[in-house]
Amino acid sequence: MIESELDGVSRIVSAVGTCEFGASVDEFLRHYVEFDMTCIFAFHPSSTPLLIHDGYSASVSRNALSSYLKGGYLLDPFYVACTSDVGDGLWRMADVAPDEFFVSDFAASHEVHPCISDESGTLIEEIGYVVTLADGWRATYSLMRNRCGEQFSDDQFAGLTALAPLLSAAIRRHVELVSATSSERRPGEIESVLQRAFCDRLTAAQFRVVNLILRGHSSQSVAKELHITEGTAKLHRHNAYQRLGVTSQAELFRMFIDYLEV
């Protein structure tokens, strides 16, 4: 490492457990790549998420961030990755997202997707480090480029991947220190927001299909995930839409957003 990189590592170590941690990691990584925004979230399957670092631009809507934290996160591919069997390391969102995620309403929503509410609009790419923490928690540290930029190149991605052991250890220790002083970071027995929004009006099978549709899965992908035929997936989707009084994925998403805003 050159002197500036060693200085960056020193700043990260000094900032662990403090409110300057996220900014110090951002500053360090800017020696390697350019990016527009960052964030660090800690996720747990039975708890609301914890915002560890808010590296969004000043123009990102705080209302959108609030809606994300209230339940929009359930549709985020990185949340799903953290609560499934996706391994630790650096991932492109495109590699962990469902097949129709990038044409889903969540991916383009100014109301619940914080980075889309930024004045620069639609993201070009988001990549994220997935880090396993203690007690069932996992974290993601995301780097985002807006539409004025371009995707991270293979060489840039490889260079960032090489930093995963360093960043993962720092993030893990930071969350441990912060968690020791706040009960907010303990998981609780909470019911899924998606369940509260839809489950009482749908059968179990219909709810599972709606859950996946909202996250950006096509009928073919739903069938694969649930080990059913595509025809059965389409039938459950049709029946669920009838019960909910909607006719499209957009109306379904609107119903979910309206629920979050109540």
Side-chain angles (χ1 to χ4, degrees), residues 73-108:
Y73 68 91
L74 293 164
L75 311 183
D76 186 340
F78 278 124
Y79 166 78
V80 178
C82 282
T83 54
S84 64
D85 58 358
V86 169
D88 283 13
L90 183 64
W91 293 87
R92 295 183 190 269
M93 181 175 279
D95 292 330
V96 298
D99 58 345
E100 293 189 348
F101 173 76
F102 293 103
V103 295
S104 70
D105 288 275
F106 173 76

Side-chain angles (χ1 to χ4, degrees), residues 8 10-28 40 52-54 141 174 178:
S10 175
R11 289 176 184 272
I12 290 174
V13 172
S14 298
V16 168
T18 76
C19 61
E20 299 300 321
F21 175 74
S24 70
V25 177
D26 289 353
E27 181 181 359
F28 173 70
I40 304 176
I52 301 291
H53 167 55
D54 180 354
Y141 170 52
H174 175 70
V178 173

